Amino acid sequence: MSAFQPGKLAMLVVCNGMDASKLAALVESLKTDSKNAGAHKTRQLLWAAYGAIATTLGGVEGAVAGFLKYNEPAVEGEDGAASFEAFTKKQAHALGQGGLELMGRKLRPLEEPESKQWAVVFCEGDEAVDALDDIKNAEACVYVTATACYVGTRLKRRHCKNVSALKTQKDLEKFLEDVKPALQSVDWTGSKPAAMLPYNTLLAGPGFPAPLVAALPAGGGH
């Protein structure tokens, strides 16, 4: 954990529709587990954050789709504050069944490892601040792996088209042209599809022939 910063967003829990009672039980379990965190200040912050979030969930019923936040207090040693920011119907649908994928360790309801409902916790260092900014504000890039093309940011993405047999520069140039109509949006509040620009289009990961990577067309990076 980083040093105390008054009012800082110290924990962000992203929930995609888990039942409130199951989410509360999960949060209480995480609170108990926080006793094993390494540093004393880390244990204190996690205990306070999970406790405040659990209290916030106490008055919630039904599916929880939104951001649960814990902000550090204005004065060190006082109590921080938890809050809940609900997703819009469009945002909840996008994460729940609309094809928007969120990166991070998915925590399922206790004793339900196959559940489609999950929560992701961001709390290390500046993770919570960075994650919220990425989800809400980050500009998307278009990236092509050896198996698929995605529009995405560091923490969220949408699958646009499968990839096969990209062996030559001409193969890649043709694919980049053909994929344009399939590009989607990962904007949190908008729906404008991503544009393929000179600075935001790249190959990502292994699996590409070395000659192809060495001869990338204009506007392509790796």
Side-chain angles (χ1 to χ4, degrees):
M1 293 288 174
S2 57
F4 174 76
Q5 298 178 41
K8 175 187 175 182
L9 177 64
M11 180 178 288
L12 176 71
V13 183
V14 185
C15 314
N16 86 324
M18 192 183 302
D19 180 80
S21 62
K22 294 179 180 181
L23 180 58
L26 174 62
V27 169
E28 287 290 354
S29 175
L30 293 171
K31 179 182 176 182
T32 299
D33 291 344
S34 72
K35 293 178 181 179
N36 299 318
H40 176 65
K41 284 191 174 181
T42 299
R43 291 195 299 272
Q44 281 186 316
L45 191 148
L46 292 176
W47 185 267
Y50 284 127
I53 287 173
T55 299
T56 298
L57 285 169
V60 179
E61 295 182 354
V64 179
F67 299 117
L68 283 159
K69 308 173 187 177
Y70 174 79
N71 290 78
E72 294 199 80
V75 178
E76 190 168 12
E78 294 185 354
D79 294 333
S83 60
F84 175 64
E85 179 184 339
F87 294 157
T88 64
K89 289 183 179 180
K90 180 180 177 181
Q91 291 162 352
H93 178 269
L95 277 179
Q97 48 191 308
L100 182 63
E101 181 182 359
L102 183 72
M103 308 301 173
R105 181 189 172 203
K106 305 293 194 303
L107 302 172
R108 314 286 176 176
L110 300 178
E111 301 181 5
E112 296 183 33
E114 303 303 319
S115 174
K116 294 182 179 179
Q117 276 65 58
W118 47 258
V120 178
V121 178
F122 299 97
C123 63
E124 292 292 332
D126 294 325
E127 256 190 358
V129 174
D130 293 343
L132 189 62
D133 182 60
D134 183 278
I135 294 169
K136 288 188 168 185
N137 305 314
E139 182 180 0
C141 69
V142 179
Y143 65 95
V144 181
T145 72
T147 58
C149 175
Y150 298 91
V151 168
T153 65
R154 186 171 62 87
L155 291 178
K156 60 185 191 295
R157 70 180 185 180
R158 284 186 187 273
H159 175 276
C160 298
K161 189 174 182 178
N162 288 335
V163 171
S164 63
L166 291 182
K167 297 180 180 179
T168 68
Q169 181 176 344
K170 287 186 177 180
D171 291 338
L172 179 58
E173 289 174 341
K174 184 177 187 305
F175 179 82
L176 292 178
E177 188 63 33
D178 291 346
V179 79
K180 287 180 180 178
L183 297 180
Q184 301 185 55
S185 173
V186 293
D187 285 352
W188 191 241
T189 56
S191 57
K192 184 178 180 180
M196 196 176 289
L197 302 170
Y199 64 85
N200 76 342
T201 306
L202 62 151
L203 301 184
F208 297 103
L212 171 60
V213 174
L216 286 173
H222 184 259

